[in-house]
Amino acid sequence: MDTTNDTPRHIAIIMDGNGRWANARGLPRGEGHRAGAESVREAVETCRQLGVEYLTLYAFSSENWSRPKNEIDSLMKLLERFLRDKLPEMLKQNVRLHAIGNLSMLPVNCRKEIDKAIEKTRDNTGLNLILALSYGSREEITDAARALATKAAAGEIDPADIDNEMFANHLYTAGIPDPDLLVRTSGELRISNFLLWQISYSEIVISPKNWPDFRNADLRAAVDEYARRHRRFGAV
Ligand code: FPP
């Protein structure tokens, strides 16, 4: 493990470009997601090597539900299989799984694999792998506002006591430090409703590569870029 002071503690990734990767090869979009799952495996491995503590992956957004049914079905099946097949590896590598988002929307078999992997890895102390599934940041923020309003209406909290910290503690990411580095692949310059609150101070690195082509060397290059910026602006 080659941790330095400039290793981000938390990396968040918007994995984009699976569809374009497949289109460019004349393959169905599902093949792009399948190839993308291999990049997920490699990103986890790279983060372990670098000593990153948290890796959050945008695997399925609340907006993705409007995709064709067969694409959604194949993504959910892929996710279910990925979690089942990779559980032994996660256990061996001391990876702890978390999930954020409106998980009740997911198919029951997929949710079962998620719950099982979360439960089986709960005592692991290595990399925290956080999957954002059926996730939307505005929904997360309105859920937090609703939870706080409910507590205030019940007299459990005083509205005057609501501050940044209390608000953050009502987000799905309560207890998880904010991302230091946000990576987006496929060259798009958008945040797409991902961790809007949490990325307030994150460094952003955009890669032109589609997610299935984004491998170990590319993630290391993004971390190097983060370290350069961090050294220049961080200390003073
Ligand atoms: C964006 O590409 C990617 C997704 C909507 C899904 C991400 C899913 C994976 C990488 C597969 C498996 C994930 C795990 C955690 C095992 P896109 O389809 O929007 O690409 P496009 O913009 O080129 O159409």
Side-chain angles (χ1 to χ4, degrees):
M1 201 164 71
D2 43 3
T3 316
T4 71
N5 286 338
D6 295 307
T7 303
R9 213 179 150 199
H10 184 172
I11 300 178
I13 307 183
I14 302 175
M15 308 182 288
D16 196 14
N18 292 350
R20 272 163 285 170
W21 184 93
N23 282 344
R25 288 160 182 77
L27 297 169
R29 294 176 60 83
E31 287 303 315
H33 297 314
R34 216 186 311 277
E38 186 50 32
S39 289
V40 168
R41 199 198 59 75
E42 206 164 301
V44 169
E45 180 54 31
T46 307
C47 284
R48 287 184 56 246
Q49 289 165 5
L50 292 171
V52 170
E53 290 175 54
Y54 300 86
L55 171 65
T56 301
L57 300 175
Y58 205 2
F60 196 84
S61 73
S62 38
E63 289 78 20
N64 286 153
W65 290 114
S66 58
R67 292 198 175 193
K69 186 178 178 306
N70 66 345
E71 184 177 349
I72 296 175
D73 288 349
S74 82
L75 252 171
M76 291 299 149
K77 277 260 168 293
L78 178 64
L79 209 67
E80 186 189 322
R81 210 172 326 117
F82 181 90
L83 290 167
R84 194 170 48 235
D85 294 351
K86 302 292 181 225
L87 182 57
E89 211 170 314
M90 286 195 266
L91 289 167
K92 201 164 108 200
Q93 296 180 337
N94 200 18
V95 171
R96 180 171 176 189
L97 186 80
H98 309 255
I100 56 172
N102 187 356
L103 305 181
S104 65
M105 294 278 288
L106 301 172
V108 67
N109 286 344
C110 189
R111 232 167 47 224
K112 266 190 204 153
E113 293 302 331
I114 295 166
D115 290 345
K116 185 169 132 197
I118 290 174
E119 176 57 32
K120 298 255 183 214
T121 62
R122 69 178 317 129
D123 294 327
N124 286 354
T125 54
L127 175 69
N128 289 280
L129 173 61
I130 302 147
L131 296 184
L133 292 165
S134 189
Y135 174 87
S137 190
R138 287 183 171 178
E139 290 84 341
E140 177 184 35
I141 290 170
T142 46
D143 278 355
R146 194 179 310 105
L148 286 165
T150 305
K151 285 185 184 174
E156 290 168 28
I157 57 167
D158 180 344
D161 290 337
I162 298 174
D163 58 8
N164 285 350
E165 194 188 340
M166 192 190 286
F167 200 89
N169 282 333
H170 286 76
L171 295 171
Y172 307 152
T173 50
I176 296 171
D178 290 341
D180 304 290
L181 169 63
L182 172 70
V183 176
R184 180 166 188 148
T185 59
S186 90
E188 303 286 349
L189 305 175
R190 281 191 299 278
I191 299 300
S192 302
N193 204 14
F194 188 47
L195 302 175
L196 299 178
W197 171 283
Q198 297 89 338
I199 60 165
S200 295
Y201 296 99
S202 305
E203 292 293 334
I204 301 178
V205 171
I206 305 290
S207 166
K209 290 196 179 178
N210 289 324
W211 176 249
D213 290 328
F214 189 85
R215 294 303 173 98
N216 186 335
D218 303 297
L219 187 51
R220 282 177 174 267
V223 168
D224 287 346
E225 168 74 28
Y226 166 84
R228 276 195 297 277
R229 290 189 206 166
H230 197 57
R231 275 189 210 111
R232 227 175 318 140
F233 302 118
V236 199

